[in-house]
Amino acid sequence: MKRNMAALVFGNANYVNGGILKNPANDAADVSAKLSSYGFHVIVATDATNKEMDKKLKEFKKLLEANDVGLFFFAGHGMQIDGRNYLLAIDTDISDETDAKHSSLSLDKVIDVMEKSNASTKIIILDACRDNPWERAWSRAASIRGLASVYAPKGTIIGFATSPGELASDGKGRNGTYTEALLQHIDEPDLTIETMFKRVRNTVAAETRGKQTSWEHTSLSGNFFFNISLGKIIKSYPEIAIADELFVVDETKPSHKIIKGLKSHNWYTQNAVLSQLTAASVKKMTDSNLFVLGRNIYQAACGGSNSARIFVLSFMDETSGYPDEKRKALLDGMLFEIFFDPKAKLRSKIKSNLFNELFDLQKYASLKESFEFIAEALIASDGEFYALPGRDHELAVTVGTTKVKDAYRVDAIYVDGINVFRAEDEEWTVGGEEQKVYGRKSAADLKEQLSQELVVPMRSLKLTYTPASAVKGELQVPFGYTVRKP
C-alpha cells in the first residue's frame, strides 16, 4: 500500500554573474516540504553550483533504484541552446552559449537518468524560464527565449512554467507564479496529475492576465495522484466506510439502527442498541457496515457507554460465534477509529482511551489480519511513528531522572539515542528550569502515558531508567512536556 517515491528539488536564486532571483529558494523549500508530506524521499539543494548539481543528480540516480515514482523539480534560470535545454547553476559561465551549456545541467541528462531508472512514473517540473540578462546580451530572437519543446519518454510527464518564447514570472509573493499555483492545487485529493496541471495552467493564466501559459508533455500510461485518499488505497472497504462522515444511515437495516443509536451520544440509547448485536444478526450484516459499526462502538466506549466499553474489553467473548470475516470487520473498524478521523485523515493525537486494551488482542493469532490491516493503513497514510503499530515491534526507551529529596525528577526520555522529551509549546519554557511545574506519577502511570504519546502498546514498550532505582520510586514529571512526534 505504501508508495515508494523519490524526488530531487533544486532552487537556484543567487547567480554570481547577475540575474539574481527572489523566490527559487522558497520554491524549493516549499515544494520539498509538500512532497515529504506525501511520502517522497526528497533530496533538496538551493543555490547549487554546477558541480553540486551533478553530484545531487548522481545521488538521485542511486535513489531511483529502489523507488517506483521519481520527481525532478527545478526553479531558477533555464535556457535553450542549439535546441536543447539547460538548467543554470549559480556559477554557470555565461561568457557565451558554448561555455554556458558546458557549465549547466542538461535537461536531456536528467531525462536520460530518469528514463533508465526503475521508476515506472517519472515527473519533471520546471519553473525555469525566468527573465535573465544573458539571453538579452546575446541578442537572441524572442522565439528561442525560454525552454524548447522536448520529447517525454514512456511513463514521463514534463511540466513547463511557460510555453516556448514566453517568460515565467518570479512572482509577487513568496513563490514564483507557477510554483505558487502548483502548491495551491497539489493538495486537492484524488486529482490526476494531468488534471492538476490543467488547474495550474488556469491559475497562472489568470494571475498573469494571459501573459504566461504553462504546458506539459506527457506519455504517462497510468494515473498518478499526489494527494490520494485512503479510500482510494484501501480496497477492503468502500470509501463511505473509510471516510465515515460520508456514511448515510438507512434505518431499514439492523446494522444502521445500531450505528444510529451509538451516534446518539446518549448512554442509555447506546447501551440498549448494542444488545441487538448478536451472532445471528451479525451474519446478515455486510463487512462494510460492520466496519463502520466497529468505529462507532469504539467511539461510544471512549465516550463513556458502559456496554460499548464492555464490548471492547471482552471482545473475544462478545464476538464468540461470529464468523471470522465478521469479527475481523468489527475489529478493523475499532482499530481504524483509534488513528483516523471521520475524513479518513490521520489524527494529530490518537483516540487513546482503550488503545492498550485493543492492542492486547494482538496475542490472539486468529486476529492477526486485523493488525496487519491497520499497519498497512498507517503505512499508506505516510504517518511517522517510533514503531509501526500493528507489527508488534518492540521499542526500547530510557527514562533519565535525577534524585530530588523523596522522588526522581524526569529530565529526559531517549529513543534511539535521541532525547525526545520536549515542551509541547513555548508557554511551558517561559521562566526556564526553575519555573517548571511538576506532577507526581508512578512508573506504571508514566508507562501508560508514554505508550499513548509514543503510539506504542505497553506490551511492546520496553522501559529502563537511569538510575535503575527510579522505577521503584515516585516520579516527578513536568507539566506540558511530551514525547509525541512534533
Side-chain angles (χ1 to χ4, degrees):
M1 294 170 71
K2 184 175 177 63
R3 300 186 294 175
N4 296 314
M5 304 181 291
L8 173 57
V9 175
F10 285 114
N12 287 347
N14 292 313
Y15 287 88
V16 297
N17 294 308
I20 293 176
L21 297 169
K22 181 177 65 171
N23 288 325
N26 296 335
D27 295 341
D30 294 347
V31 167
S32 58
K34 184 61 66 178
L35 294 176
S36 294
S37 75
Y38 293 137
F40 278 84
H41 181 150
V42 182
I43 300 170
V44 60
T46 56
D47 291 334
T49 63
N50 183 43
K51 185 176 180 180
E52 289 167 343
M53 291 183 76
D54 191 58
K55 179 182 177 182
K56 293 298 182 184
L57 184 61
K58 288 178 180 176
E59 289 180 24
F60 184 50
K61 179 180 179 181
K62 182 70 176 176
L63 194 58
L64 287 175
E65 293 176 5
N67 286 275
D68 305 317
V69 178
L71 185 147
F72 177 89
F73 174 90
F74 177 85
H77 284 308
M79 64 174 67
Q80 58 171 300
I81 302 173
D82 298 330
R84 297 185 181 277
N85 296 314
Y86 296 88
L87 309 175
L88 275 59
I90 62 166
D91 62 347
T92 292
D93 185 347
I94 45 74
S95 301
D96 57 34
E97 294 187 2
T98 300
D99 290 328
K101 73 179 182 180
H102 288 293
S103 56
S104 300
L105 178 61
S106 164
L107 179 59
D108 286 348
K109 184 176 182 180
V110 174
I111 293 172
D112 191 48
V113 164
M114 297 182 75
E115 182 181 12
K116 293 177 180 177
S117 74
N118 293 328
S120 55
T121 299
K122 296 164 278 282
I123 304 162
I124 297 173
I125 303 174
L126 304 168
D127 195 350
C129 305
R130 308 188 193 198
D131 188 21
N132 71 63
W134 313 299
E135 289 188 305
R136 295 195 301 272
W138 296 338
S139 301
R140 290 179 143 208
S143 61
I144 59 171
R145 291 262 184 111
L147 299 183
S149 178
V150 295
Y151 164 71
K154 182 180 179 181
T156 303
I157 185 167
I158 306 175
F160 294 85
T162 66
S163 298
E166 291 182 351
L167 298 177
S169 169
D170 199 30
K172 299 174 183 177
R174 174 179 170 81
N175 300 110
T177 299
Y178 179 66
T179 298
E180 183 178 22
L182 179 71
L183 292 168
Q184 178 182 337
H185 293 292
I186 199 172
D187 274 334
E188 295 180 46
D190 303 325
L191 205 64
T192 65
I193 191 169
E194 292 91 346
T195 302
M196 183 206 71
F197 274 128
K198 287 178 183 178
R199 297 188 182 184
V200 168
R201 181 158 42 255
N202 284 339
T203 298
V204 169
E207 180 65 27
T208 63
R209 299 297 187 268
K211 294 179 181 178
Q212 181 177 335
T213 307
S214 63
W215 62 303
E216 300 83 43
H217 280 311
T218 182
S219 62
L220 290 181
S221 54
N223 289 328
F224 176 80
F225 309 83
F226 281 103
N227 186 9
I228 184 168
S229 64
L230 275 181
K232 297 289 186 183
I233 299 174
I234 297 175
K235 304 302 182 185
S236 312
Y237 304 101
E239 193 163 0
I240 59 169
I242 297 300
D244 67 343
E245 69 169 6
L246 304 173
F247 187 83
V248 178
V249 172
D250 178 357
E251 291 192 62
T252 64
K253 298 178 179 179
S255 58
H256 285 229
K257 285 184 178 179
I258 300 173
I259 291 168
K260 182 181 179 182
L262 292 171
K263 287 180 177 292
S264 69
H265 302 294
N266 182 303
W267 292 344
Y268 297 104
T269 302
Q270 290 171 332
N271 292 339
V273 295
L274 264 182
S275 65
Q276 301 171 27
L277 194 62
T278 64
S281 66
V282 160
K283 291 176 183 177
K284 300 177 183 178
M285 297 177 185
T286 66
D287 291 352
S288 173
N289 288 342
L290 285 167
F291 181 87
V292 177
L293 187 50
R295 295 192 67 169
N296 282 275
I297 289 172
Y298 187 80
Q299 165 69 28
C302 292
S305 166
N306 189 51
S307 292
R309 183 177 176 83
I310 290 172
F311 191 93
V312 173
L313 295 176
S314 307
F315 182 79
M316 295 302 287
D317 291 335
E318 292 288 336
T319 58
S320 177
Y322 288 16
D324 289 345
E325 69 275 12
K326 306 301 181 183
R327 171 187 267 173
K328 177 184 182 298
L330 271 173
L331 184 53
D332 285 356
M334 290 181 185
L335 291 168
F336 197 81
E337 183 67 16
I338 293 174
F339 300 98
F340 296 94
D341 68 15
K343 297 179 184 290
K345 300 295 184 183
L346 202 61
R347 299 183 189 277
S348 57
K349 294 182 181 179
I350 67 168
K351 193 175 285 187
S352 61
N353 304 55
L354 295 167
F355 167 64
N356 276 295
E357 287 78 2
L358 265 191
F359 271 82
D360 273 344
L361 294 173
Q362 273 188 284
K363 62 191 176 189
Y364 296 104
S366 60
L367 304 180
K368 180 180 178 181
E369 288 186 14
S370 285
F371 291 97
E372 280 296 316
F373 163 79
I374 196 60
E376 290 296 313
L378 292 170
I379 290 172
S381 73
D382 294 318
E384 292 187 15
F385 300 94
Y386 291 103
L388 184 66
R391 291 286 166 82
D392 213 14
H393 295 159
E394 288 188 353
L395 184 70
V397 177
T398 300
V399 180
T401 70
T402 301
K403 184 75 169 68
V404 288
K405 295 182 181 179
D406 61 340
Y408 292 85
R409 186 184 65 218
V410 175
D411 301 317
I413 297 173
Y414 284 87
V415 177
D416 294 330
I418 298 172
N419 181 15
V420 297
F421 199 45
R422 59 180 178 82
E424 203 147 17
D425 58 57
E426 289 185 3
E427 285 188 48
W428 295 104
T429 65
V430 175
E433 286 292 324
E434 67 278 2
Q435 296 298 320
K436 283 183 182 177
V437 180
Y438 291 85
R440 295 194 172 228
K441 291 180 180 287
S442 67
D445 291 336
L446 181 61
K447 185 172 185 178
E448 184 172 3
Q449 177 185 334
L450 294 179
S451 167
Q452 294 176 2
E453 293 182 359
L454 293 166
V455 196
V456 178
M458 285 199 289
R459 65 195 303 271
S460 301
L461 191 58
K462 305 305 175 187
L463 285 187
T464 56
Y465 284 80
T466 57
S469 56
V471 72
K472 297 179 181 178
E474 192 169 45
L475 303 171
Q476 289 186 357
V477 183
F479 286 111
Y481 277 64
T482 185
V483 293
R484 287 190 186 92
K485 286 277 188 181

